[in-house]
Amino acid sequence: DAGVIQSPRHEVTEMGQEVTLRCKPISGHDYLFWYRQTMMRGLELLIYFNNNVPIDDSGMPEDRFSAKMPNASFSTLKIQPSEPRDSAVYFCASSRGRIGAGANVLTFGAGSRLTVL
Amino acid sequence: DQQVKQNSPSLSVQEGRISILNCDYTNSMFDYFLWYKKYPAEGPTFLISISSIKDKNEDGRFTVFLNKSAKHLSLHIVPSQPGDSAVYFCAASSGAGSYQLTFGKGTKLSVIP
């Protein structure tokens, strides 16, 4: 099992540019989560999907952020236009079933470090 | 309003001694708690968990204690090893609500050889 795969690992862009982060969850996992990590706010949930359907996007900071999951093996997080305050590490994670049920846990990818100049 | 708090940003411990990492929560609906470990440039990895029906769970050198009345949990590492140096995140889930984890800000553990 290759785990959760994220790309790119590092992205440096200029303010105003569009940024697209990609995620491939673990095969068979039906939940997919996007988290953002900053020094100030720690790890915060942006959005999560169940069976490719967005369930809760209340953590998405602004309309500049959007996420899609066109199929069970791929998700994107898009920021358009990007701003310097979006600089953070973005993690994708997946799980099979409800967290806690049968000791299911969240498995994270290695993260995408975004720097917006 | 932070629902999961890790009040110690960092902790240094001598190799071979016990490391105790603490976590407090405010949401009484949380019923499942996890600890994750994170090395630089990697994603958090699951370490150990505990359900609210228990007050202790042990896995090798790692033990998690839960005090529901105090809304407090702690992670004990005995004995501490240099490879344990990492950032440790406490996380909580509410089975009655959504399917998401709420994380603390983390505690950076340094184990000194």
Side-chain angles (χ1 to χ4, degrees):
Chain A
D1 190 345
V4 177
I5 300 172
Q6 291 187 245
S7 65
R9 291 295 311 276
H10 301 275
E11 175 89 7
V12 180
T13 190
E14 293 189 346
M15 183 174 63
Q17 296 298 306
E18 178 179 294
V19 173
T20 299
L21 308 177
R22 298 172 178 79
C23 175
K24 176 179 168 54
I26 292 173
S27 177
H29 281 193
D30 54 350
Y31 284 86
L32 183 139
F33 304 78
W34 282 100
Y35 280 86
R36 177 172 69 175
Q37 183 187 23
T38 60
M39 289 294 290
M40 288 295 294
R41 301 174 70 89
L43 268 169
E44 52 179 343
L45 178 67
L46 301 178
I47 185 171
Y48 77 95
F49 297 81
N50 175 220
N51 291 325
N52 314 336
V53 176
I55 302 301
D56 185 350
D57 66 353
S58 59
M60 297 284 261
E62 302 171 34
D63 291 346
R64 298 184 296 107
F65 286 70
S66 62
K68 293 182 180 179
M69 192 166 185
N71 57 62
S73 59
F74 184 65
S75 176
T76 60
L77 178 67
K78 187 174 291 187
I79 309 172
Q80 165 65 17
S82 58
E83 296 183 2
R85 58 192 168 122
D86 302 330
S87 297
V89 181
Y90 291 81
F91 289 103
C92 176
S94 68
S95 71
R96 187 199 308 269
R98 182 170 73 83
I99 294 166
N104 289 334
V105 297
L106 208 55
T107 303
F108 283 82
S112 294
R113 179 176 292 276
L114 172 65
T115 303
V116 183
L117 303 174
Chain B
D1 179 32
Q2 262 203 304
Q3 297 188 65
V4 178
K5 298 180 184 179
Q6 294 177 257
N7 292 320
S8 298
S10 62
L11 175 69
S12 288
V13 172
Q14 206 73 31
E15 180 179 4
R17 306 294 288 267
I18 183 171
S19 295
I20 300 176
L21 296 95
N22 293 302
C23 177
D24 297 294
Y25 61 96
T26 57
N27 188 340
S28 57
M29 298 299 290
F30 287 147
D31 62 357
Y32 192 66
F33 304 88
L34 306 88
W35 285 93
Y36 278 78
K37 179 168 72 173
K38 184 184 179 305
Y39 293 118
E42 295 183 12
T45 56
F46 170 71
L47 185 59
I48 191 170
S49 63
I50 187 167
S51 165
S52 61
I53 63 174
K54 295 185 174 181
D55 54 19
K56 176 183 174 182
N57 189 26
E58 201 169 347
D59 184 2
R61 296 184 298 112
F62 303 90
T63 302
V64 56
F65 295 92
L66 175 62
N67 183 333
K68 290 185 288 294
S69 60
K71 293 191 177 65
H72 177 83
L73 63 156
S74 61
L75 174 69
H76 293 210
I77 306 173
V78 184
S80 302
Q81 299 174 354
D84 297 329
S85 297
V87 177
Y88 289 79
F89 291 97
C90 170
S93 171
S94 166
S98 63
Y99 289 50
Q100 57 180 284
L101 285 179
T102 302
F103 285 84
K105 288 191 175 181
T107 296
K108 183 176 181 179
L109 174 65
S110 299
V111 180
I112 304 163

